[in-house]
Amino acid sequence: MRFMLLMIPHGYEHAAPGTMPDPEAVHRMMIYSRELQHAGVLLGLDGLHPPSMGARISFAEGRAGVVDDPITETREVLGGYWMIDVGSLPEAIEWARRCPAGANEVIEVRQVQEMADFPEDVRVAAAGCATSTGSHA
């Protein structure tokens, strides 16, 4: 089963463009990521720049629109993620508990939906639309 460990750093929603993490924190995260890799469960990882360097697209009225200020209504934002492949939710939670996160940081553990998780009518609707990067039918 694939799980995403979503890092939610407190205060990152207000970080200025170009804000960089503390080098010591990055060092601890690299050690942790190496442990995931050596255990054979790491599929991928990335850190994300603060939302002040991105954009938010809203579909409030069914049409895409760029929100002028993506920060004002956001309480928590992602700072990065690890994608892991483990046997169960408890195993994913155990890996998340080992993360050297700082005070007030949160890791959300979410299982990735697989095509086999969907009912037959959804799988039929998706048939023929699989991508080379996201389909695990």
Side-chain angles (χ1 to χ4, degrees), residues 20-125:
M20 291 291 141
D22 173 65
E24 179 57 33
V26 171
H27 179 73
R28 289 191 310 268
M29 290 298 176
M30 293 305 291
I31 291 171
Y32 171 68
S33 297
R34 236 182 275 136
E35 290 173 7
L36 290 165
Q37 185 178 32
H38 289 154
V41 301
L42 182 64
L43 299 175
L45 69 134
D46 281 299
L48 300 172
H49 283 286
S52 57
M53 294 179 67
R56 179 169 283 207
I57 311 303
S58 172
F59 297 85
E61 296 177 14
R63 297 179 56 190
V66 178
V67 177
D68 291 337
D69 185 359
I71 299 171
T72 57
E73 296 181 18
T74 304
R75 287 185 346 177
E76 297 176 333
V77 299
L78 295 177
Y81 70 90
W82 295 267
M83 176 76 79
I84 63 173
D85 189 359
V86 294
S88 65
L89 175 60
E91 190 176 348
I93 291 171
E94 182 54 34
W95 276 110
R97 291 171 61 96
R98 294 183 190 179
C99 179
N104 297 318
E105 292 183 325
V106 173
I107 295 180
E108 183 173 321
V109 178
R110 302 275 301 272
Q111 185 174 354
V112 175
Q113 288 184 322
E114 304 285 348
M115 192 55 70
D117 297 334
F118 292 111
E120 182 62 26
D121 62 333
V122 174
R123 283 188 257 162
V124 168

